[in-house]
Amino acid sequence: MKLFKVPEPTIMRLSLYSRVLEQMEERGIPVISSVELGDAVGINSGVVRKDLSMFGEFGVRGVGYNVRELRDNIRRLLGQDRTWPIVVIGAGQLGSALAAYPGFRQRGFDITALVDVDAAKIGTDVQGIPVLSWDEATNMIQEKEIKMAILAVPAEDVQATAQKLVDLGIEAILNFSPVILKLASVQVQNVDLTVFF
Amino acid sequence: MKLFKVPEPTIMRLSLYSRVLEQMEERGIPVISSVELGDAVGINSGVVRKDLSMFGEFGVRGVGYNVRELRDNIRRLLGQDRTWPIVVIGAGQLGSALAAYPGFRQRGFDITALVDVDAAKIGTDVQGIPVLSWDEATNMIQEKEIKMAILAVPAEDVQATAQKLVDLGIEAILNFSPVILKLASVQVQNVDLTVFF
DNA sequence: CGCTGTGAAGCCTTTCACAGCT
DNA sequence: AGCTGTGAAAGGCTTCACAGCG
């Protein structure tokens, strides 16, 4: 167990392990070896062991890892053992799809509301998630102390919208608009959906 | 100019440079230095120069890089100088949003069709992109020699759908379903939309 | 003089093999 | 015997500084 500094690639992989363990847990499999876990995510078993060993000794030699225990530990490490409220800005096609994406809830993100400027959308809902005006959203963000936002607005509105969010106390922004967003003092993750091909 | 082996991080960054250069080009800026380009994407200028130098000598010492020329070169390197037809499998909320996402077209991906099994959706369109049945899609994929697909189907259908695509000759799959997809002999990129926080 | 192109050094991650526990 | 935890070595990427050219 080192814990001096955890490599970023390791953190990304923890996310993958978490998903596999979830499935194993559902299927009632009690124990998994590093080889099996590695195969499931498509990497070498040594990587799995090294990754896990950075946080503690979760395994049993000669046996493997207890699925539920390991899952719980990884969840805790990733901050997935609690629920994080988030807002989605932009109730267009992409924003609505992201709000409905089941993965967020599965990982402990609670999409509290969508926000839009279009009066025709305000007051409606997307699979039970309400679409709010900025006035309503401002109250909610401050009341519920929401710190994270997903941005899915037209390219030309991104920078101004992001600044508004920062002023409201948002600390992490996941930007899906096809524009590189830059902000000081806030954690910004730009996601270019086309970059993966 | 090395070209022995190009680091993956470099390729990811080329995508970013490409976007910035596009904007510069639109604004009519003829020349850009590595410092400016670096600032625009949030990295050190040395990285920019090293990245670009792997493919050739695009810059002029004492001056900088010709925006249009550099943009064209990067496009060519990324295979963005031609149009790639793709299909989106799953015309649900996420699939529709991806089909409508402007970034794909901007980067030379031509979304030819959506595919779904829901009879109520087949025959409709999403912003002008037709929703086809599997029979229709099978013909189109073979006729137009489509080699790439975006997967946005329910978790339980992912593996079977992917196999069907491979059998139809698809060579690259971008999987947005919240399931890790594994296939031999085909390039699969799993995108977990929640991994970024 | 300014900015590119690049070698060399430093740092971080992965790989490998095996000691050590059950 | 089986599988984990980990040190040591290898490999790859980034940083730095500067030579070289316009």
Side-chain angles (χ1 to χ4, degrees), chain A residues 89 117 151 153-164 177 179 181:
Chain A
I89 315 298
V117 293
L151 254 190
V153 299
E156 59 270 23
D157 301 338
V158 171
Q159 196 69 44
T161 307
Q163 190 54 56
K164 204 187 290 195
S177 314
V179 169
L181 173 62

Side-chain angles (χ1 to χ4, degrees), chain A residues 12-38:
Chain A
M12 292 300 228
R13 286 191 297 264
L14 285 181
S15 229
L16 300 180
Y17 303 153
S18 176
R19 278 206 274 183
V20 172
L21 291 167
E22 206 65 52
Q23 287 170 28
M24 297 290 167
E25 167 72 15
E26 275 166 25
R27 282 198 257 152
I29 297 167
V31 172
I32 191 171
S33 73
S34 62
V35 175
E36 293 168 306
L37 189 45

